[in-house]
């Protein structure tokens, strides 16, 4: 498979951004997608070539203006995995509200899910509410004393589930869950908890020890006995080395042989990816696919611009940018136990170095940060089409890896 970035073009699409959509247990349910700058809506996003692969397992929430609802290319995606976040008409125009009612009903009849913002709770949209699958509750735009009333109305008076946006703390999740909110957007899951204990779990400890050995240039005779201490690591390594994609004509049954065949660079990547899975107790399951997406996206963006060694470091940087949340401790403490390449530590501890703009761009893609996205893309001389390609490849890869473990 050719994994080089597509060539730059003066007429490329805008880059797209995403927000993870999580349930109350912190498991990833889907993504809300939007274009950088907010100028493209569902029609343009539906034309992304790799979107169907991503929609196999996740909900995809796409912004939809009233003007684009009549002629959407819906055949590319499973309709039950597509959510249209429909804007309300400007000025709550009664004629436009009425005109769109049969359009929305036809979309729902095709099993497309419909989502509306809090504006749709106005009396003028009473006909729309019966078609809603989701209502978004924007915590930043809602007075705290009105939260209970709004969520209660959604859950009791409409067929819709409530999606809370702008959630920044685990305590908010518990409060909202008690009120009946089922889906959440925000960055609370990617931070260490308020009561971070900083206790390394046994599986994490083995991986940390392995990473440190690899950084010292240890050979298979030292690394294989360490892997044997954790049966799940042993099984995973042999599964990886015997995968059809490696092309070996024989089955590898010896851990020492597997370590020799993979080599230290690939073992470091493997250990970093496994660290994303070995999260602290209570940490959100979504951390794994999000961390893996960050690593893969940074690696793909770096491929045309940096050396192979720097690309490996880009992958590790992306995964370990969530190490504080994965280990539930401050980043300085988390990195203090690891011997990491200097370029990785430069970015994660000091926000500087060759890989810094790649991490800025990667996080901007995840947080709907238009300004940071534009600055980093310009600094790296990457077009929207190039970033989109890498972004979708990274999402699909992370989804496949995280669901396969």
């Amino acid at each position: 498979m050719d994994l080089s970035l597509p060539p730059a073009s003066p007429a490329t699409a805008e880059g797209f951004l995403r927000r993870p959509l999580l349930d109350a247990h912190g498991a990833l349910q889907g993504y809300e997608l939007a274009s950088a700058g907010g100028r493209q809506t569902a029609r343009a996003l539906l034309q992304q070539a790799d979107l169907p692969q991503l929609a196999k397992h996740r909900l995809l929430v796409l912004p939809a203006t009233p003007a684009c609802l009549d002629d959407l290319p819906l055949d590319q995606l499973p309709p039950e995995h597509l959510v249209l976040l429909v804007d309300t008409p400007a000025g709550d125009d009664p004629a436009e509200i009425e005109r769109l009612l049969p359009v929305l009903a036809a979309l729902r009849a095709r099993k497309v899910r419909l989502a509306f913002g809090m504006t749709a709770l106005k009396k003028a949209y009473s006909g729309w509410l019966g078609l809603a699958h989701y209502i978004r509750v924007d915590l930043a735009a809602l007075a705290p004393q009105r939260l209970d009333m709004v969520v209660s109305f959604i859950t009791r008076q409409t067929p819709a589930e409530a999606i809370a946006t702008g959630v920044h703390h685990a305590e908010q999740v518990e409060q909202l869950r008690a009120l009946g909110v089922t889906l959440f957007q925000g960055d609370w899951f990617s931070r260490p908890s308020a009561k971070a204990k900083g206790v390394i779990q046994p599986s994490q400890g083995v991986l940390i020890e392995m990473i440190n050995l690899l950084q010292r240039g240890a050979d298979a005779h030292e690394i294989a006995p360490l892997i044997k201490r954790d049966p799940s690591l042993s099984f995973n390594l042999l599964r990886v080395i015997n995968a059809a994609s490696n092309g070996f004509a024989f089955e590898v049954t010896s851990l020492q042989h597997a370590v020799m065949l993979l080599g230290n660079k690939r073992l470091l990547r493997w250990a970093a990816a496994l660290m994303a899975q070995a999260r602290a107790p209570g940490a959100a399951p979504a951390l794994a696919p999000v961390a893996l997406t960050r690593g893969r996206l940074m690696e793909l963006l770096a491929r045309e611009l940096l050396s192979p060694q720097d690309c490996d470091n880009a992958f590790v940087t992306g995964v370990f940018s969530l190490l504080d949340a994965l280990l539930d401790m401050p980043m300085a403490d988390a990195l203090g136990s690891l011997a990491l390449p200097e370029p990785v530590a430069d970015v994660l501890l000091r926000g500087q170095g060759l890989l810094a703009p790649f991490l800025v761009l990667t996080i901007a893609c995840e947080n709907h940060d238009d300004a940071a996205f534009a600055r980093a893309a310009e600094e790296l001389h990457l077009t929207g089409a190039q970033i989109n390609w890498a972004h979708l490849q990274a999402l699909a890869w992370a989804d496949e890896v995280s669901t396969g473990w």
Side-chain angles (χ1 to χ4, degrees), residues 235-316:
F235 171 81
N236 194 295
L237 177 60
L238 291 175
R239 182 176 64 83
V240 168
I241 197 69
N242 286 309
S245 58
N246 282 319
F248 295 126
F250 51 88
E251 182 179 4
V252 180
T253 58
S254 160
L255 284 177
Q256 187 167 315
H257 192 194
V259 169
M260 292 173 61
L261 287 171
L262 277 182
N264 283 18
K265 286 184 180 180
R266 291 180 68 187
L267 279 171
L268 178 59
R269 289 167 53 88
W270 176 69
L274 286 177
M275 186 68 82
Q277 299 287 348
R279 61 186 187 277
L287 280 172
V290 172
L292 290 169
T293 299
R294 287 189 182 186
R296 185 62 166 166
L297 179 53
M298 284 191 64
E299 177 191 19
L300 291 175
L301 291 174
R303 250 181 206 185
E304 292 294 300
L305 304 171
L306 303 179
S307 69
Q309 179 64 55
D310 288 328
C311 291
D312 288 334
N313 287 337
F315 177 83
V316 174

Side-chain angles (χ1 to χ4, degrees), residues 324-403:
D324 53 349
L326 288 164
L327 298 182
D328 198 25
M329 62 178 65
M331 183 62 83
D333 294 344
L335 294 179
S337 61
L338 283 166
L340 290 175
E342 192 62 27
V344 177
D346 270 348
V347 181
L348 298 181
L349 287 176
R350 295 173 283 278
Q352 61 188 34
L354 185 67
L355 299 175
F358 292 94
L359 182 58
V360 170
L361 180 57
T362 295
I363 294 175
C365 285
E366 182 182 310
N367 291 341
H368 277 214
D369 191 334
D370 286 353
F373 179 95
R375 288 194 302 270
E378 182 177 3
E379 182 177 351
L380 295 170
H381 304 290
L382 293 170
T383 67
Q386 290 175 312
I387 297 167
N388 288 352
W389 178 90
H391 196 170
L392 283 168
Q393 292 284 330
L395 285 167
W397 178 85
D399 199 52
E400 181 181 354
V401 170
S402 58
T403 55

Side-chain angles (χ1 to χ4, degrees), residues 16 33-35 40-49 51 61-63:
F16 75 87
L33 306 183
S35 67
Q40 295 184 41
T41 56
R43 184 180 291 117
L45 291 165
L46 282 167
Q47 293 169 353
Q48 297 287 340
L51 215 57
V61 184
L62 306 183

Side-chain angles (χ1 to χ4, degrees), residues 158-175:
T158 81
E161 295 180 61
I163 300 176
T165 67
V167 182
H168 301 301
H169 306 286
E171 293 76 14
Q172 289 177 296
V173 175
E174 293 306 312
Q175 176 195 5

Side-chain angles (χ1 to χ4, degrees), residues 101-122:
L101 188 56
V103 177
L104 296 171
L107 287 167
R108 183 174 174 116
R110 294 184 65 176
K111 298 185 180 180
V112 174
R113 303 188 190 196
L114 301 175
F116 307 119
M118 291 189 298
T119 304
L121 297 177
K122 294 179 180 179

